[in-house]
Amino acid sequence: MKKESSHNWKEKLHEIIYEADTPSGKLFDIILLIAILASILLVMLESVESFDQKHHTLLNISEWVITILFSIEYILRIITVKKPIKYITSFYGIIDLLSTIPKYLSLIFAGTHALVALRALRLLRVFRILKLARYLGASNQLASAIKASRAKISVFLFAVLIASVIFGTIMYLVEGAESGFTNIPKSVYWCIVTLTTVGFGDIAPVTPLGQFIAACIMIMGYGIIAVPTGIVSAEYTKQTNDNNKAPYIPSHPVESDVNSQSCHSCLSENHKDGAKYCYKCGHKLHYD
Amino acid sequence: MKKESSHNWKEKLHEIIYEADTPSGKLFDIILLIAILASILLVMLESVESFDQKHHTLLNISEWVITILFSIEYILRIITVKKPIKYITSFYGIIDLLSTIPKYLSLIFAGTHALVALRALRLLRVFRILKLARYLGASNQLASAIKASRAKISVFLFAVLIASVIFGTIMYLVEGAESGFTNIPKSVYWCIVTLTTVGFGDIAPVTPLGQFIAACIMIMGYGIIAVPTGIVSAEYTKQTNDNNKAPYIPSHPVESDVNSQSCHSCLSENHKDGAKYCYKCGHKLHYD
Amino acid sequence: MKKESSHNWKEKLHEIIYEADTPSGKLFDIILLIAILASILLVMLESVESFDQKHHTLLNISEWVITILFSIEYILRIITVKKPIKYITSFYGIIDLLSTIPKYLSLIFAGTHALVALRALRLLRVFRILKLARYLGASNQLASAIKASRAKISVFLFAVLIASVIFGTIMYLVEGAESGFTNIPKSVYWCIVTLTTVGFGDIAPVTPLGQFIAACIMIMGYGIIAVPTGIVSAEYTKQTNDNNKAPYIPSHPVESDVNSQSCHSCLSENHKDGAKYCYKCGHKLHYD
Amino acid sequence: MKKESSHNWKEKLHEIIYEADTPSGKLFDIILLIAILASILLVMLESVESFDQKHHTLLNISEWVITILFSIEYILRIITVKKPIKYITSFYGIIDLLSTIPKYLSLIFAGTHALVALRALRLLRVFRILKLARYLGASNQLASAIKASRAKISVFLFAVLIASVIFGTIMYLVEGAESGFTNIPKSVYWCIVTLTTVGFGDIAPVTPLGQFIAACIMIMGYGIIAVPTGIVSAEYTKQTNDNNKAPYIPSHPVESDVNSQSCHSCLSENHKDGAKYCYKCGHKLHYD
């Protein structure tokens, strides 16, 4: 009997921590969201030297409070999930560990305190939490348009990289060391800066021939920026058309029939609304 | 009887100030437009030190003329509207106040003269005035395309912000203070500068690893600029298609059936042409 | 009889100079094209000081040859056209004069030689000459897509300008003079540099608040670049669709049924192939 | 009999080197790919002075190994192809030679060692090798969209160039030498840098009029970037629609029915799957 109650206790915690269907689950997510944002703000303020010197003790105490809270969350996540190894080795599991451990390490090793900044990676969890928000549909459509044009964008970026290496090498031969093109990797870096129309200006060609080639690279970059844009535009237009053609269905029907649950056993997500078993591992989903 | 004539007098002024259907209403709008542009020009010239030193008296007198004109307009707007509180607390009401009051304040407090520049906010009223122009249709279509893709663009910009915080933190760890990445907020600022392909070059990575990560950020920025473009393109294409599919209707029919009137009572706009009552509060619209 | 032969002589010259249907007309256009490109190259080389000092005499002689050739062309254009005033006051008439006269002026006034560079404006005639090339269709489609979205792009650029003035003024108030934001016009200039993602870096914010506002401006600029792109994309897609829907017609049918003639009397262009009378003034078109 | 066996030997080598249908052909392509990437990495490391000084001997030996391997490949390609002159004068033939010969030349002429960097051009062969990869379809669609909008993009880039020359000349007249606009070519270079929104900032206008014109150029550049994007978007959308309309055919059917073979005689590619004779010269394709 005792084991069952412990089971129930774990299940309830799982529902609070991993899901967002219940009021307490939503509350947990909101508190987590605030804690993450507060911890990022803390890391930022700490990095500003003038601020850190004034309020060092306050910042340090807050750091420890946040770290202990995250540690508790991490431990609870391990306890309540069925297969802890799966969580620990999962993407979010590693991030959760990386954002908790540097503070403890800084007690032992002196120089590692800066690694606390790794906590910024926690921001990625914000995407996960926001799944419950009304932006779910929009972000799903975004994701699927990017997914559909992934192959084409890869080919495009690959071509951009090759062009950068070739033009970077040519610029190295043409400009030489005195104008900042001291070696080929730097020259390739400059070429990427130019081709993507960022244009820092920390390195800039000075010879007439170098400036001529640079002009060609810029016009090329200006012309080919159209390519990824065209790809994504066409993909979006197609998706919108497909949605329009389907009869008797509101404009974005596909995104709304998934819920925010995650399987206890395999942590997979995007279960259909009302589903009773995980579509991946067959484990039972919720307990009423 | 006297009260009715005062009522009539107020109504006529309301029609002149708030609407643009009558010749005098149009004239008022054009004079207001010129006054706003002149006041902006004045503020600009005043900020150029060499010009201000030469023509200080002239500029000061013109300032006072413009300020008094705007004050009169502000008072008239309060008098002629049915619910003055609603106007005063409205968006344009606050801007009108902000663009009038700094000149008076500069008489009392010495340092506040620079706030006269807040008058630039008045430019926003230009949008309101231009509603009567032939660009009404185009700007409506623009607005509705942006509105329709608002959620997606928000998700996108939110993702860009999170990426900036994460990469900014990483760059702070990699580059360190000697190349300008002195703290995380500055590093995040640099990351936004780079990701949006602006690239000032006031801060630039100098270590090979930093330059490599910068190159990744740039290529990412170059690739994802396609996303908002794709969203708006698809939305526009859809709108254009929808207009084309509707039978027997010229290409942009929807925008032309609103007029430039605003309700005396609730200040709401976009009334249908020929409407006699406000569609929001039911108040009678015009008096013939 | 003599008058008629002079009439014929003028007509033939008109056909050679203004049109491109006959072999001699095409030859004239090609020679003119080469002369224009050569004259631009000359102006460029002359502006490079080290080159000018070496080959000054050669450059000067070539200048005079080109100038005299252009003068002859200008006089012939005036003689052969029916209404010379119309040509002289037309867009190309003014450019032709502006690109010829500075060399003569430099004989009288010493400092005006640099104005020879105005000849670069002649490059615009290249568009006119290229009308006969196979790129006619593509450039027509380009022009019509831009024309169709002109109103929307105007509204957009107008909004960008207003945003620049407002944010420029705010940055002037926030940053102050020590970081380059010395006056509002300069601040507005910086804002345009930033909003269009050019980012020279000659002026850059240094205060944290200024950098925060700058980041907002950049993200705004990055997001709204999608708007004009979306407009033109939708316009193009529509045009392509319209062409596709029309039955039994090759892909770009509309552009090919105009010829390169221009009316003797009113200089209007884009006459239908085989047209005998000017569609604008009714004057007879060609003489066989 | 002997001649026939030599014929067979050549044919087998041709299949390995020029094609990718057999396991050994695929293996050859993968080894070549690795060799190319290794050689590029080598050239990059060599250009970094600090690295070169430490590991000079190792780098030199590796250079010779790569060069000899490429030489063998070059000779084998000449031997196994039917018309060696055609290969030698082909695009890839010239690149293969250019990437092999500088190392030998550096034995005779001292200063030519830097030309080894020309080997970066070999990266272009990567495109050829990747034809067998699963990205074939995506890159074909990319290529055909670019091809279809080639004329329009040419017209556009030509217009950008003309605008750059005209505005560059105007900026030269307005700004003069003291702010970096020392001659017209440099001024045109600056104009391209600005129009393409790269914005290095190595040259920047300082006079108010110059900054005003610069602002106009930027806004123009910001507005017209929409044009190539619109072109490619429309082209993509059209292609996607065309694919959708065709009945009973999977989404990208056209790209999959070519194979990776190349004709022994004329080196032409993109043969239909299962083709027995070259569609260009009629030569027999494979030998089973």
Side-chain angles (χ1 to χ4, degrees), chain D:
Chain D
M1 289 300 274
K2 209 196 155 200
K3 207 195 153 196
E4 198 170 63
S5 92
S6 124
H7 196 69
N8 269 331
W9 169 78
K10 274 190 188 174
E11 267 160 23
K12 263 176 200 154
L13 256 177
H14 179 99
E15 215 165 295
I16 291 170
I17 296 175
Y18 282 94
E19 285 158 40
D21 296 25
T22 55
S24 49
K26 271 181 193 166
L27 188 70
F28 177 83
D29 276 353
I30 288 163
I31 291 172
L32 183 59
L33 192 59
I34 292 166
I36 290 173
L37 293 179
S39 77
I40 303 286
L41 195 71
L42 218 63
V43 164
M44 284 192 172
L45 291 177
E46 224 177 340
S47 77
V48 182
E49 220 170 307
S50 61
F51 192 91
D52 187 44
Q53 282 172 345
K54 257 193 226 159
H55 310 277
H56 187 73
T57 323
L58 181 72
L59 285 173
N60 199 29
I61 291 167
S62 315
E63 273 287 348
W64 275 112
V65 170
I66 292 273
T67 304
I68 287 161
L69 278 177
F70 281 176
S71 307
I72 292 169
E73 187 218 345
Y74 186 64
I75 290 161
L76 283 180
R77 277 186 191 272
I78 290 175
I79 290 172
T80 57
V81 86
K82 281 256 165 83
K83 295 179 181 170
I85 297 299
K86 203 148 197 177
Y87 164 69
I88 292 169
T89 58
S90 75
F91 182 64
Y92 285 117
I94 291 166
I95 287 176
D96 286 351
L97 187 67
L98 278 178
S99 62
T100 316
I101 218 160
K103 193 71 191 168
Y104 296 113
L105 284 180
S106 71
L107 287 181
I108 314 170
F109 309 104
T112 58
H113 188 262
L115 292 173
V116 176
L118 280 176
R119 196 179 297 153
L121 290 171
R122 274 233 157 189
L123 269 176
L124 289 172
R125 191 173 277 278
V126 173
F127 286 114
R128 173 97 184 67
I129 293 172
L130 285 181
K131 279 184 76 170
L132 48 136
R134 68 185 183 94
Y135 291 111
L136 180 63
S139 73
N140 269 17
Q141 217 181 334
L142 256 179
S144 71
I146 291 170
K147 213 170 171 183
S149 43
R150 199 184 36 192
K152 284 171 212 161
I153 286 184
S154 303
V155 168
F156 170 74
L157 290 183
F158 184 71
V160 165
L161 264 181
I162 288 185
S164 296
V165 172
I166 292 174
F167 279 106
T169 309
I170 292 171
M171 286 302 281
Y172 167 73
L173 292 179
V174 166
E175 280 284 322
E178 75 264 34
S179 56
F181 295 81
T182 45
N183 53 51
I184 294 180
K186 207 167 206 169
S187 205
V188 170
Y189 161 73
W190 172 86
C191 202
I192 291 173
V193 169
T194 305
L195 204 60
T196 55
T197 77
V198 172
F200 280 136
D202 52 344
I203 311 169
V206 293
T207 63
L209 183 58
Q211 291 183 337
F212 177 75
I213 296 171
C216 295
I217 295 172
M218 281 169 227
I219 286 180
M220 208 173 77
Y222 192 60
I224 60 175
I225 205 171
V227 177
T229 311
I231 296 167
V232 179
S233 291
E235 211 55 59
Y236 255 111
T237 310
K238 198 182 139 195
Q239 279 189 18
T240 317
N241 283 351
D242 290 358
N243 281 352
N244 282 358
K245 276 171 197 159
Y248 305 113
I249 291 173
S251 68
H252 304 312
V254 194
E255 298 91 15
S256 55
D257 59 351
V258 296
N259 61 26
S260 70
Q261 296 211 325
S262 80
C263 176
H264 291 223
S265 170
C266 72
L267 288 171
S268 66
E269 287 169 0
N270 290 323
H271 297 290
K272 241 189 126 165
D273 233 355
K276 294 217 163 167
Y277 296 92
C278 173
Y279 69 95
K280 262 199 176 159
C281 67
H283 197 275
K284 224 177 164 220
L285 279 181
H286 42 158
Y287 309 85
D288 24 18

Side-chain angles (χ1 to χ4, degrees), chain A:
Chain A
M1 287 301 275
K2 210 199 154 198
K3 207 197 154 195
E4 198 169 64
S5 92
S6 125
H7 195 70
N8 269 332
W9 168 80
K10 274 191 189 174
E11 269 161 20
K12 264 175 200 155
L13 256 177
H14 179 98
E15 214 165 294
I16 292 171
I17 296 174
Y18 283 93
E19 285 159 38
D21 296 24
T22 55
S24 50
K26 273 182 193 164
L27 189 70
F28 176 83
D29 276 352
I30 288 163
I31 291 171
L32 183 58
L33 191 59
I34 292 166
I36 289 174
L37 293 180
S39 77
I40 303 287
L41 195 71
L42 220 62
V43 164
M44 284 194 172
L45 290 176
E46 223 176 338
S47 78
V48 183
E49 219 170 306
S50 62
F51 192 91
D52 188 42
Q53 282 173 344
K54 257 193 224 157
H55 308 277
H56 187 73
T57 323
L58 182 72
L59 285 173
N60 199 29
I61 291 167
S62 314
E63 273 287 348
W64 276 111
V65 171
I66 293 273
T67 304
I68 287 162
L69 278 178
F70 282 175
S71 307
I72 293 169
E73 186 218 346
Y74 186 66
I75 290 161
L76 283 180
R77 277 185 192 271
I78 289 174
I79 290 172
T80 56
V81 87
K82 280 255 164 85
K83 295 179 179 168
I85 297 300
K86 203 147 198 178
Y87 164 69
I88 291 169
T89 57
S90 75
F91 181 65
Y92 285 117
I94 291 164
I95 286 176
D96 286 351
L97 187 66
L98 277 179
S99 61
T100 316
I101 220 161
K103 193 71 190 168
Y104 295 113
L105 284 179
S106 71
L107 287 181
I108 314 170
F109 310 103
T112 58
H113 189 262
L115 292 173
V116 176
L118 280 176
R119 197 179 297 153
L121 289 170
R122 274 234 156 188
L123 269 177
L124 289 172
R125 190 172 277 278
V126 172
F127 287 114
R128 173 96 184 71
I129 293 172
L130 284 182
K131 280 184 75 169
L132 47 136
R134 66 183 183 95
Y135 292 111
L136 180 63
S139 73
N140 269 18
Q141 217 181 334
L142 255 180
S144 70
I146 290 170
K147 213 169 169 181
S149 43
R150 201 184 33 192
K152 284 171 212 160
I153 286 184
S154 303
V155 168
F156 171 73
L157 290 183
F158 184 70
V160 165
L161 265 181
I162 288 185
S164 297
V165 172
I166 291 174
F167 280 106
T169 309
I170 291 172
M171 285 303 281
Y172 168 72
L173 291 179
V174 167
E175 280 284 322
E178 75 265 33
S179 56
F181 295 81
T182 46
N183 52 52
I184 294 180
K186 208 168 207 168
S187 206
V188 170
Y189 160 73
W190 172 86
C191 203
I192 292 172
V193 169
T194 305
L195 205 60
T196 55
T197 77
V198 172
F200 280 136
D202 51 345
I203 311 168
V206 292
T207 63
L209 182 59
Q211 291 182 337
F212 176 75
I213 296 170
C216 295
I217 295 172
M218 281 169 225
I219 286 180
M220 208 173 76
Y222 192 60
I224 60 177
I225 204 171
V227 176
T229 311
I231 296 166
V232 178
S233 291
E235 211 53 61
Y236 255 110
T237 309
K238 198 181 138 195
Q239 278 189 21
T240 316
N241 283 351
D242 290 358
N243 281 351
N244 282 358
K245 277 173 197 160
Y248 305 113
I249 291 173
S251 68
H252 304 311
V254 193
E255 298 91 15
S256 56
D257 59 351
V258 297
N259 61 26
S260 69
Q261 295 211 328
S262 80
C263 177
H264 290 224
S265 171
C266 71
L267 288 170
S268 65
E269 289 170 358
N270 291 322
H271 296 290
K272 242 188 122 165
D273 232 354
K276 294 218 161 166
Y277 296 92
C278 173
Y279 69 95
K280 263 200 176 159
C281 68
H283 197 275
K284 223 177 164 220
L285 278 182
H286 41 158
Y287 309 85
D288 23 21

